[in-house]
Amino acid sequence: MAVVKGRRIEVNDLMQRGYIYRLLEPIGRNFHADFRPELTPKQLLALGIFGGKYMTDCSAEFPADWFERARLCPMLHDPELNCFGVNASQPLSVWRANGWIYHEDPRGWFQWYCRYFMGRRCPDDQRQIRRWRAMRRHLVQVQRNCERYDISCRRRQRQALLHWAYDARRV
């Protein structure tokens, strides 16, 4: 799938039917000044996030090359597929109960990030960028409590940071 600015995307997957958005920016460019993720969605999928279950029914929405090396498991959530081999996810029900889900992105932050990376802009951007920035507190905790590059230290926290596009392998 070629990603073109102005292109209309229609989503029909298990969680959304008939949702339509337009790509307003070039893929991977023109991010808000306060939003500088360290990893792309393609890189995150290849490293292993969300137990491999997260994006198994919606690949048609995104570039095919994002999924060429993705660590996915359509049958179940498998923490072994995660980069750090641990579960660092909360159920979607917890995200819903806490009001963290925006109606246009029923899968949560990572779905928002994939769409933002593709070039969609929406009314929820500022809130999601604030949430992304708030994850830095976990980065600081890893830096304060672990030897540099000791990826065995605080693996759950590192995996959670990875979910939010912080490269916790470099800390």
Side-chain angles (χ1 to χ4, degrees):
M1 164 171 78
V3 180
V4 179
K5 183 178 172 180
R7 181 176 177 185
R8 177 182 175 268
I9 305 288
E10 182 170 349
V11 179
N12 288 297
D13 60 35
L14 292 176
M15 294 186 76
Q16 276 183 313
R17 288 259 174 241
Y19 171 65
I20 297 169
Y21 65 93
R22 288 212 178 268
L23 303 180
L24 303 175
E25 298 292 346
I27 189 167
R29 302 202 30 215
N30 299 337
F31 288 9
H32 188 281
D34 291 337
F35 185 54
R36 296 287 173 239
E38 297 172 350
L39 297 162
T40 68
K42 178 182 177 177
Q43 291 170 319
L44 291 169
L45 290 166
L47 285 170
I49 55 172
F50 303 108
K53 182 71 176 132
Y54 194 90
M55 301 284 279
T56 57
D57 73 307
C58 59
S59 61
E61 180 181 348
F62 304 105
D65 73 320
W66 286 16
F67 299 91
E68 289 171 356
R69 302 185 75 180
R71 300 177 77 181
L72 299 176
C73 183
M75 301 306 164
L76 56 97
H77 177 271
D78 182 0
E80 293 291 318
L81 292 174
N82 285 339
C83 180
F84 294 97
V86 295
N87 183 13
S89 300
Q90 294 178 318
L92 189 57
S93 59
V94 170
W95 286 66
R96 287 178 180 143
N98 283 301
W100 297 333
I101 300 293
Y102 178 62
H103 70 279
E104 290 184 17
D105 301 319
R107 296 171 195 266
W109 186 87
F110 186 64
Q111 183 176 45
W112 170 85
Y113 175 45
C114 290
R115 291 172 172 174
Y116 189 90
F117 190 90
M118 292 277 294
R120 181 193 75 171
R121 299 299 181 262
C122 75
D124 199 37
D125 292 350
Q126 288 299 321
R127 182 184 73 98
Q128 294 291 16
I129 291 168
R130 278 193 309 274
R131 294 179 66 228
W132 173 80
R133 288 175 53 92
M135 285 300 293
R136 288 196 59 77
R137 72 183 185 279
H138 294 284
L139 186 62
V140 170
Q141 289 173 355
V142 171
Q143 290 169 331
R144 287 183 180 162
N145 294 289
C146 299
E147 293 292 323
R148 190 168 174 90
Y149 303 118
D150 178 4
I151 61 171
S152 66
C153 180
R154 294 187 173 231
R155 292 183 316 149
R156 191 164 186 258
Q157 207 163 19
R158 287 175 187 269
Q159 184 68 43
L161 283 162
L162 198 65
H163 291 173
W164 288 81
Y166 287 98
D167 194 347
R169 301 167 303 166
R170 300 184 314 158
V171 181

